[in-house]
Amino acid sequence: MSFEWLHLRLAAPLMAFGGVAIDHVGPTREFPSVSALTGLLANTLELRREESALHQALQDRLIFGALSIMPERRNVPLVVTDTQNAKLEKSDRGWTTWGAPERRAGATYDSPHRRRRDYLADHETRVVLRLAPGDGPTLDDVATALDRPARPLFIGRKPCLPSSPLLAGRARGATAYEALQSLGIGGRAIWPDEGDGPDNALRHNIADLRNWHSGLHGGSRVVMEGRIA
């Protein structure tokens, strides 16, 4: 059976596909995670952060493959690191995702707040995605929302504004690997383990699921990684 897939072009001067963060370090992966794409689509569909059940249902239905397009003569992604330092005084407050301002704790204000964030520079990723049967938006609903999103979109982090519309068209294929092949673009790619792909593809277990009810890491899944000819 052949399915219809949406074809997304994710390109920006800087973008981030966040990996597992430890302490103040925010890494980036080469490919988007399930949770990142869920958040991106939820933003286009005007879902509110507190609508955790709708986010979870969307993530549970999402099936996708992703392909990296490298500039000429580059074989690996170019990663740049932004080191951020901020001195927080006693009265300073920070914006949070849980709705209450964050305040500085402790008695001393001399040490700055430090964090490090990695970004993919001048990178482009193609994504093919579809939604498994279930309650919620249809693939056409998602396509319409991507064409006219309810809110401004960013790729991974708020400074990462896309350099072009995200919806690049549609694709067809029985699997994500076949849909990626139908784009006619070569590069390194990941796709769900559906029993197809080149013999030399690598099998990975990646932690990229989110529990939208708790807001915490929600598990891992198996993907294949290899080259699309």
Side-chain angles (χ1 to χ4, degrees):
M1 178 185 297
S2 181
F3 298 102
E4 187 172 52
W5 305 70
L6 296 186
H7 171 203
L8 275 56
R9 178 179 182 263
L10 307 182
L14 291 176
M15 58 187 184
F17 299 135
V20 177
I22 299 175
D23 295 330
H24 67 289
V25 179
T28 181
R29 293 187 172 102
E30 180 179 353
F31 302 102
S33 63
V34 176
S35 58
L37 287 178
T38 300
L40 178 66
L41 298 184
N43 205 23
T44 70
L45 292 163
E46 206 174 5
L47 297 187
R48 296 181 61 84
R49 184 175 292 274
E50 59 268 24
E51 294 177 305
S52 56
L54 298 180
H55 282 75
Q56 190 66 52
L58 183 61
Q59 177 177 279
D60 293 344
R61 296 174 59 204
L62 184 59
I63 303 170
F64 78 96
L67 181 148
S68 280
I69 298 179
M70 301 289 180
E72 191 176 356
R73 297 184 297 277
R74 187 190 298 169
N75 296 319
V76 295
L78 175 61
V79 177
V80 298
T81 299
D82 179 27
T83 301
Q84 303 169 353
N85 299 282
K87 184 178 180 181
L88 300 182
E89 301 292 349
K90 183 177 181 179
S91 59
D92 290 338
R93 299 182 180 186
W95 181 87
T96 66
T97 58
W98 53 86
E102 186 176 39
R103 303 186 184 195
R104 176 67 184 262
T108 177
Y109 310 102
D110 294 331
S111 299
H113 177 71
R114 304 183 188 275
R115 66 180 188 174
R116 199 183 81 190
R117 295 293 183 265
D118 292 338
Y119 295 86
L120 298 171
D122 296 326
H123 196 71
E124 180 178 336
T125 299
R126 300 299 180 100
V127 173
V128 294
L129 66 87
R130 69 179 182 89
L131 298 174
D135 295 333
T138 66
L139 202 63
D140 287 336
D141 293 334
V142 174
T144 300
L146 285 167
D147 190 49
R148 299 183 65 87
R151 305 188 186 103
L153 302 181
F154 49 89
I155 305 176
R157 299 192 180 110
K158 293 178 184 65
C160 304
L161 303 180
S163 56
S164 65
L166 299 190
L167 185 60
R170 306 214 180 195
R172 292 203 67 85
T175 64
Y177 179 76
E178 285 188 11
L180 286 172
Q181 280 189 312
S182 74
L183 302 181
I185 303 171
R188 189 163 55 245
I190 62 166
W191 59 91
D193 184 8
E194 299 176 281
D196 58 351
D199 293 336
N200 60 351
L202 301 176
R203 195 169 187 266
H204 296 300
N205 193 301
I206 60 173
D208 72 345
L209 299 176
R210 180 184 179 97
N211 184 319
W212 290 92
H213 300 285
S214 67
L216 302 175
H217 166 64
S220 59
R221 65 191 180 100
V222 175
V223 301
M224 304 302 293
E225 179 180 338
R227 292 198 65 84
I228 302 292

